[in-house]
Amino acid sequence: MSDPRKKIDRSNNPILEARARHRSVFEGTPLGAEVAQNMERLKRIQESDFKKPETTRIIAVANQKGGVGKTTTVVNLAAALAAGGLKVLVIDDDPQGNASTALGIAHEAGTPSLYDVLTGEKALVEILQQSQQLPNLYIAPSTIDLAMVDIDLGNDPERNEKLRQALEEALNTLDGLGHHIDYVFIDCPPSMSLLPVNALVAAREVLIPVQCEYYALEGLSQLLRTIESVRDSLNSELEVSTIVLTMYQKGTNLSQEVAANVREFFPTQTLSVEIPRSVRVAESPSYGETVVTYEPRSSGVIAYMAAAQELADRA
Ligand SMILES: Nc1ncnc2c1ncn2[C@@H]1O[C@H](COP(=O)(O)OP(=O)(O)O)[C@@H](O)[C@H]1O
Ligand SMILES: [Mg+2]
């Protein structure tokens, strides 16, 4: 029997390889029906290549609340788009380096990192590392030094524009080498220091992950004010393009209420897919892999793939 998916080049695609390995895992289990339904959706998503944006989309993923799913969203959207054939750059703009960890990238003290770029010691292209699992994915790692940037750049009149300058230069250099980048995701720390401001100045879009919990919208007004002031003074192009509902718990009133609330507040920006609370999503970073490569059939992966598809369709 011929494989209907044989038109896809499997040789270099970790998702498809892993999917083939796991093909029958759920057959005959109580989850089977739901998985079968999801598989149809997943198959459609994986078979349709993501639309290439006309110009590089630069997206700051921000929310000054910690633990809302910023890093998880960055690594999984980036991995999904990279696995779908686009070239993606992740900038780890958080001294904690969670995105670097989750993507399996070296970032111990002494590793050339975003700190060296923001302080003018190195060009951004000099610190990039390539993902071993997804060759289309490049990462600018963070080290703990990044926590010193506020102090080190305190008096520099261009302190808010360091990342924009470095990123523009890097994208031009990579273009010249035939490595045009389609998506840049900047993973912001949970604060409103120089680091997220640099991200908001470098980006054209802001993606805000909102956790489906009490107080989800609390604190967003502060973020929106910061975005507004960056738009007024430093980056007139900046817009909140995307809201992602994270850690959604199906069947709970709380999740439904929060989701409805957010959709009312951000009717056009909120993606229709909600990211479910999923153990697999929570576990995968400890393996240095994104859920996309670690567990390509979990509900979390399917949701992030659908989210990536929506994001790409809205280019
Ligand atoms: N959809 C999800 N289901 C289960 N756990 C999740 C999910 N998204 C994130 N987490 C977990 O929640 C914690 C916070 O997520 P993280 O992405 O690090 O948030 P932030 O970057 O906003 O601080 C992490 O332990 C992460 O693994
Ligand atoms: Mg984080």
Side-chain angles (χ1 to χ4, degrees):
M1 206 176 76
S2 75
D3 182 344
R5 293 170 306 166
K6 69 172 180 252
K7 63 186 165 67
I8 297 174
D9 176 15
R10 201 167 289 226
S11 55
N12 207 5
N13 189 327
I15 290 191
L16 293 176
E17 277 169 23
R19 191 152 59 102
R21 274 207 311 276
H22 290 273
R23 190 170 282 180
S24 61
V25 169
F26 291 109
E27 272 163 27
T29 72
L31 269 177
E34 194 183 338
V35 168
Q37 200 186 358
N38 282 340
M39 282 306 289
E40 250 330 288
R41 226 165 112 214
L42 180 61
K43 212 171 110 191
R44 277 204 308 277
I45 291 164
Q46 289 188 335
E47 286 185 354
S48 64
D49 281 339
F50 292 113
K51 193 164 88 187
K52 220 172 147 60
E54 270 170 36
T55 53
T56 306
R57 289 179 73 182
I58 306 174
I59 304 175
V61 177
N63 188 331
Q64 68 268 61
K65 261 180 101 167
V68 298
K70 289 183 289 297
T71 301
T72 305
T73 299
V74 165
V75 301
N76 287 290
L77 288 181
L81 291 165
L86 299 186
K87 285 224 190 291
V88 182
L89 167 59
V90 167
I91 297 178
D92 190 346
D93 192 31
D94 184 341
Q96 291 187 58
N98 295 149
S100 306
T101 304
L103 292 167
I105 289 298
H107 64 110
E108 62 279 357
T111 308
S113 77
L114 192 63
Y115 175 81
D116 305 301
V117 175
L118 297 179
T119 54
E121 295 295 318
K122 284 193 158 54
L124 183 56
V125 287
E126 292 180 272
I127 66 151
L128 294 186
Q129 296 187 43
Q130 190 174 21
S131 159
Q132 297 210 338
Q133 294 147 348
L134 296 165
N136 280 341
L137 179 59
Y138 299 88
I139 300 103
S142 139
T143 52
I144 193 69
D145 302 331
L146 212 48
M148 298 303 289
V149 158
D150 270 88
I151 296 169
D152 291 347
L153 293 182
N155 295 321
D156 189 323
E158 293 189 332
R159 62 187 176 279
N160 294 318
E161 282 133 279
K162 297 295 178 190
L163 184 56
R164 170 157 69 191
Q165 292 162 357
L167 182 56
E168 268 172 19
E169 186 191 353
L171 292 176
N172 282 335
T173 306
L174 289 168
D175 261 352
L177 294 169
H179 291 287
H180 176 76
I181 300 289
D182 298 301
Y183 279 84
V184 178
F185 292 97
I186 309 173
D187 187 24
C188 293
S191 67
M192 264 306 150
S193 61
L194 261 186
L195 292 171
V197 170
N198 264 269
L200 295 176
V201 173
R204 263 176 234 123
E205 301 176 42
V206 189
L207 181 157
I208 307 177
V210 175
Q211 187 180 355
C212 295
E213 292 279 351
Y214 282 118
Y215 314 122
L217 288 168
E218 208 174 82
L220 271 194
S221 52
Q222 197 197 334
L223 175 62
L224 295 176
R225 272 199 304 279
T226 306
I227 292 168
E228 193 100 329
S229 85
V230 168
R231 186 172 33 220
D232 288 347
S233 54
L234 294 158
N235 182 5
S236 60
E237 289 179 76
L238 189 66
E239 58 159 345
V240 176
S241 67
T242 312
I243 307 284
V244 179
L245 294 166
T246 63
M247 295 183 235
Y248 188 88
Q249 277 178 290
K250 218 174 165 179
T252 66
N253 289 338
L254 177 60
S255 277
Q256 283 171 15
E257 277 164 29
V258 172
N261 226 324
V262 172
R263 290 187 188 286
E264 199 177 325
F265 207 79
F266 297 101
T268 56
Q269 294 94 334
T270 310
L271 296 186
S272 66
V273 64
E274 290 123 2
I275 308 300
R277 190 173 269 289
S278 139
V279 176
R280 292 300 186 207
V281 170
E283 270 176 0
S284 54
S286 56
Y287 296 87
E289 288 190 42
T290 68
V291 285
V292 173
T293 49
Y294 163 67
E295 186 56 87
R297 288 174 82 173
S298 84
S299 59
V301 174
I302 293 168
Y304 270 116
M305 290 218 153
Q309 185 78 68
E310 271 193 65
L311 186 71
D313 285 345
R314 289 162 164 223

